[in-house]
Amino acid sequence: MADRNHNLALAGMLALEMAVFSFTGAQFLTVGNAFEIARLSVELGLLSLALTPVIVTGGIDLSVGSLLALVAVTFGKLWRDGGLPLGWAVVAALVVGLAGGGLNALLIARFELPPLIVTLGTYSMFRGIAEGLTGGADNFSNFPPRFLFLGQGSFLGFVPPQTLIFAAAAVGFAWLLHRTVIGRGWYAIGHAPAAARYGAVPVGRRLALAYLLSGAASAVAALIYVAHVGQAKSDAGTGYELLAITAVVLGGTSIFGGVGTIGGTLLGLFSIVVLEGGLRLSALPSELTGILTGVLLLAAIGASSLAGRIPARFPMRRVAIAGGVLAIAGGVWLFVAMRPRGGPGVRRLVIAVMPKAKGDPYFVSCRVGAEEAAAALHADLIWDGPTSMDPARQNEVIEGWITRRVDAIAVAVANDVAISTVLRKARANHIPVVTWDADAEPDARDYFVDQATAQGIGYALTDEAARLLGGHGSFAIITGALTAANQNEWIRFIRERIAAKYPGVTLTAVRPSDDDRDKAFAETQTLMKVYPDVKVILAISAPSVPGAAEAVKQSGRGDVKVTGLSLPNMCKPYVHAGIVGSVVLWNTRDLGYLAVYAADALARGTLKAGAARLHAGRLGVVQIQGTDIILGPPLVFTKANIDRYDF
Amino acid sequence: MRREASVAIAWAALLIVLAFAAPGFFSAGNLRDLLLANVSTLLAASGMTLVILAGEIDISIGSMFAVLAVIAGLIARAGAPMPLAALTAAGAGALLGAANGGLVAGMRMPSIVVTLATMILWRNALNWATGGAWIENLPSNFQWFGLGQTAGEVFILTVAAVLVVALGWVLKNIAAARAVYATGAGAESARLAGIPVRRVVFWVFVWMGAMTGLAAVLDAVRFREVQSNAGVGLELKAIAAVVVGGASITGGRGTLLGTGLGVGLLASIGPALTFLHISPSWEKAIQGAIILASVVIDFARGAEARKNG
């Protein structure tokens, strides 16, 4: 009965979420939005469905997100490089998924190793193979339209095709878990494996099936993901395992096994997805989703664990009501927190601006300029973007903005192929689109605020490295994540520039920092020992310059210099100490400022196609070449000028 | 000892390959850098050993690590002396740990769910509060506790070594610590034997939090600024080290020596690949394969032992 109580409480919370968001979120309660939310939840949903039997048996599968990435890149590679017809590539993808699930099944069911350890290992291994196969950088796109239809199209104008697959999978899993001998076997194993064995349940085979199905579901989710995002890359599905486990556990499945339903999982999934979508439409920061998800999880599990311990006569309803009251309080607070601030009757433009990653110090600094511009223009600024590396996140946020009908969108594009589809959709809905920092495909936006081309950056960085080397010697690169699209583009131009202009200079190694200062530090330390002849470290992600510089400083190697692309404030001490020779960057504040001005001018209609200049507040008149709004050349910060900048 | 031997063999094999292929790995400078870089993992993993011994798990430590480093930085920037900043971070860590422990032991909620929730919560709250900005302009006595680089390094390594050795001794010899083993081996029988099982679980989480706080401070003082996104994936590193080191994930079995070996093995892989000139894009795959190999080796040796015994 605890099950049903839990589901009722959860259904109540879900209803409440929807009630609150229908007030706070523009366009929340529309058919279109319902299907958009459904579309976004399919990949996660498939993983959650498959994890339910796994967790019911008392196991866990941490490898689903990584397996999704592995299937996605093998599918892309077989189709593009292997020349396999699409149909066969799909079959091969399913085989890879089953093989991955099979490896887990073998180790867990046959060798009886603990699922947590096994799938922790395969979690790392599957994504590792995906990165190894592609070098992290390679990605696959330009899939034929009939395949992309699966992820982006719709039947009858509004039913996304992948939701039909999801519905079929939900029915299939529900039938298997609740209506068959196999399902009863899973519950028996979760309650007590030994007892299940005595009860003639073929424990090994049942367990194996659960992990095989999980592999198969990851494969199907991978195909849908690729069709949805339009590209396959090794960072697909990062972090999905935790989201899926959260949905399952929130849905009342006991992490100890033996208890859980598919219906509960669906409720858990929708609670999370609706929360995320609703907060987005209410223009609340995405961190709040995480915070509320955490609270929701604690409240739900706390309530059912209380219910389990308290004698049956204790009215369970009280717990549910307490939960509801809490949720209402939260909802009201939300409502108050996000009331429009403008005076009555004044229609303020809503300009939505997206960085590549919210926590990146580079974009934190762009935001200051964006806010300055919004204040000057009396516009409402929505600043939101991914907090993780997953490339699908940017698309999801923009989907939300389209539904919400913001007045203009400005995006720092993390992945041009993936995002262009959704940007075209925005334009089709008469929302002007500006790209900044990095461009999308030209027909997917009105203007590009161009701070510097990838070529310009790559060449400038190479020139600085070569200058510090005195035209001769070897250098190494510390990049962001190996999968970072921007950095990979720069590295390509760095190699090109060396080949063309600097015969005496060699690029010895490229090491990742994952945008973590500490990792950049450790990688630089090792680099200096392995390659003693490397005299310049070229660090090309903002946090990695201070990391590399600190490593050089602590090593006492006076002969090694650091240069790269970073924020002046972070690097000042090292520039003054002479460890960092120079830092290349444009004025990030002005970049954010200009992006908002351009978006605003488009929304007001003062900036039209074919314009030659733009009046941008304190920046004065800015030149436009074609569809590129030019910020100006990159700055090179040295000891002489760095103190004049504060960002 | 069987399990520790499996890890030791795997680690020794890696080191032997390195001894032939890249003797530079064993230079004093490299070993010092490796030790320093892994102090935080080692401390986190020794806290995690206790948690796993007690039959629980804590996946919130990576997020806690970031929060606590920022707290230490803020306090230092406010002008407080460094020992106070360090103690506050450890204390705040103990509080965060007490929140986990309270929910697990008091409310009897499963630890993986509780710490999954707090993991998401702390990380998002921190991102929201800092907006991704670093804690900059720290006073000069922040880096190396104001001791200078060499003395600071010695100090950090000494603190870590003393803590881990003392914890190892306590785990072997003190009754209160043996209660952790008893709790993990069988909570019900432990309770019947008079062990306050829930209190043990609570304090294990508090200890985990305090260790995370210390780890965060000892890691942060190696730099001039505190970054606000530290510790992503620390929980997985620590858990992997503990289980590779032979602890049973269901509790009751494991040693700190095994954990130390596990940290050593996993910490060597990344730099080893650089020394061997292997592309970094294969690093995760190799790391995963080694985790799997170490559990499978152990399984195979167990099967051997069962056959011969």
Side-chain angles (χ1 to χ4, degrees), chain A residues 13-24 28-29 274:
Chain A
M13 281 205 211
L14 184 58
L16 208 105
E17 274 179 22
M18 294 173 80
V20 170
F21 288 133
S22 63
F23 279 108
T24 63
F28 179 80
L29 219 56
V274 167

Side-chain angles (χ1 to χ4, degrees), chain A residues 107 111 114 116-118 120-121 123-125 128-129 131-132 242 246 249 255-256 285 287-288 290-291 294 297-298 301-302 305 309 359 361 364 482 510-512 515-518 521 525-526 529-531 543 550 553-554 570 573-574, chain B residues 29-30 33 57 103 106-110 112-113 116-117 119-121 124-125 127-128 131-132 134 136 143-144 149 219 222-225 227 229 236 240 243 249 274-275 277-278 280-285 287-289 292 295-296 299:
Chain A
L107 294 173
F111 289 4
L116 185 72
I117 306 179
V118 168
L120 184 64
Y123 157 87
S124 178
M125 197 167 79
I129 297 174
E131 283 184 2
L242 287 186
T246 307
V249 171
I255 201 81
F256 301 126
E287 287 90 355
L288 203 56
I291 293 173
L297 193 55
L298 287 179
I301 306 307
S305 98
R309 277 194 294 129
V364 171
L482 281 176
V510 179
R511 301 290 308 176
D515 291 322
D516 177 2
R517 194 252 338 250
D518 296 10
F521 173 85
Q525 282 186 325
T526 312
K529 283 172 218 126
V530 179
Y531 306 102
E550 187 63 36
K553 182 185 142 206
Q554 290 186 18
M570 271 182 179
Y574 302 107
Chain B
N30 189 49
D33 290 346
I57 199 152
L103 290 168
M107 300 269 294
R108 299 193 194 173
M109 290 160 72
I112 190 166
V113 179
L116 172 63
M119 166 199 199
I120 304 172
L121 241 154
N124 281 284
N127 285 346
W128 205 17
W134 290 10
E136 289 167 346
Q143 196 175 22
W144 308 117
Q149 185 177 342
D219 191 60
R222 297 188 299 138
F223 301 92
R224 324 173 45 116
E225 297 114 357
Q227 60 172 358
N229 63 338
L236 293 183
V243 294
I249 197 73
T274 314
F275 272 94
H277 304 284
I278 294 173
S281 59
W282 285 100
E283 197 170 311
K284 266 184 209 147
Q287 199 126 23
L292 286 183
V295 284
V296 172
F299 171 82

Side-chain angles (χ1 to χ4, degrees), chain A residues 239-321:
Chain A
Y240 277 25
E241 59 283 339
L242 287 186
L243 284 172
I245 292 170
T246 307
V248 174
V249 171
L250 188 58
T253 300
S254 161
I255 201 81
F256 301 126
V259 179
T261 60
I262 292 292
T265 296
L266 291 177
L267 278 174
L269 173 71
F270 290 134
S271 303
I272 296 178
V273 180
V274 167
L275 184 68
E276 199 172 358
L279 288 174
R280 202 173 282 146
L281 289 184
S282 312
L284 288 164
S286 47
E287 287 90 355
L288 203 56
T289 317
I291 293 173
L292 289 180
T293 307
V295 172
L296 199 62
L297 193 55
L298 287 179
I301 306 307
S304 56
S305 98
L306 271 180
R309 277 194 294 129
I310 290 160
R313 60 191 150 76
F314 182 88
M316 180 56 211
R317 247 175 298 156
R318 231 178 259 176
V319 177
I321 290 169

Side-chain angles (χ1 to χ4, degrees), chain B:
Chain B
M1 279 318 282
R2 185 171 74 76
R3 197 62 176 81
E4 284 86 342
S6 297
V7 203
I9 292 169
W11 195 15
L14 180 67
L15 294 181
I16 288 170
V17 171
L18 283 168
F20 284 103
F25 184 86
F26 296 98
S27 70
N30 189 49
L31 296 181
R32 180 200 59 209
D33 290 346
L34 267 184
L35 279 173
L36 278 167
N38 288 286
V39 158
S40 51
T41 315
L42 180 65
L43 290 182
S46 24
M48 190 65 79
T49 309
L50 255 71
V51 174
I52 290 180
L53 277 179
E56 305 291 344
I57 199 152
D58 187 343
I59 57 175
S60 69
I61 60 168
S63 303
M64 274 165 40
F65 185 86
V67 171
L68 297 168
V70 166
I71 289 179
L74 287 175
I75 290 175
R77 195 169 64 180
M82 274 312 285
L84 182 64
L87 284 178
T88 316
L95 273 180
L96 295 184
N100 285 337
L103 290 168
V104 173
M107 300 269 294
R108 299 193 194 173
M109 290 160 72
S111 52
I112 190 166
V113 179
V114 168
T115 57
L116 172 63
T118 50
M119 166 199 199
I120 304 172
L121 241 154
W122 302 145
R123 176 73 64 184
N124 281 284
L126 180 69
N127 285 346
W128 205 17
T130 63
W134 290 10
I135 313 298
E136 289 167 346
N137 303 321
L138 291 166
S140 58
N141 72 346
F142 181 82
Q143 196 175 22
W144 308 117
F145 294 105
L147 299 172
Q149 185 177 342
T150 313
E153 286 175 349
V154 172
F155 180 74
I156 290 174
L157 291 178
T158 314
V159 170
V162 166
L163 264 173
V164 173
V165 170
L167 181 63
W169 185 83
V170 165
L171 265 182
K172 263 212 163 74
N173 299 301
I174 301 292
R178 301 305 297 175
V180 176
Y181 280 94
T183 303
E188 189 53 23
S189 40
R191 197 182 59 79
L192 292 174
I195 291 170
V197 172
R198 291 164 71 185
R199 212 180 303 164
V200 168
V201 168
F202 175 77
W203 285 106
V204 160
F205 277 99
V206 173
W207 173 255
M208 175 84 254
M211 288 294 259
T212 310
L214 272 182
V217 172
L218 291 184
D219 191 60
V221 294
R222 297 188 299 138
F223 301 92
R224 324 173 45 116
E225 297 114 357
V226 178
Q227 60 172 358
S228 55
N229 63 338
V232 175
L234 178 66
E235 65 285 348
L236 293 183
K237 270 194 210 162
I239 294 169
V242 174
V243 294
V244 164
S248 157
I249 197 73
T250 49
R253 189 167 59 86
T255 62
L256 215 49
L257 174 67
T259 298
L261 290 168
V263 172
L265 170 63
L266 294 177
S268 306
I269 297 172
L273 295 181
T274 314
F275 272 94
L276 297 172
H277 304 284
I278 294 173
S279 157
S281 59
W282 285 100
E283 197 170 311
K284 266 184 209 147
I286 293 170
Q287 199 126 23
I290 288 179
I291 294 177
L292 286 183
S294 89
V295 284
V296 172
I297 290 175
D298 192 52
F299 171 82
R301 295 182 70 217
E304 196 85 345
R306 280 195 292 277
K307 210 165 64 190
N308 298 337

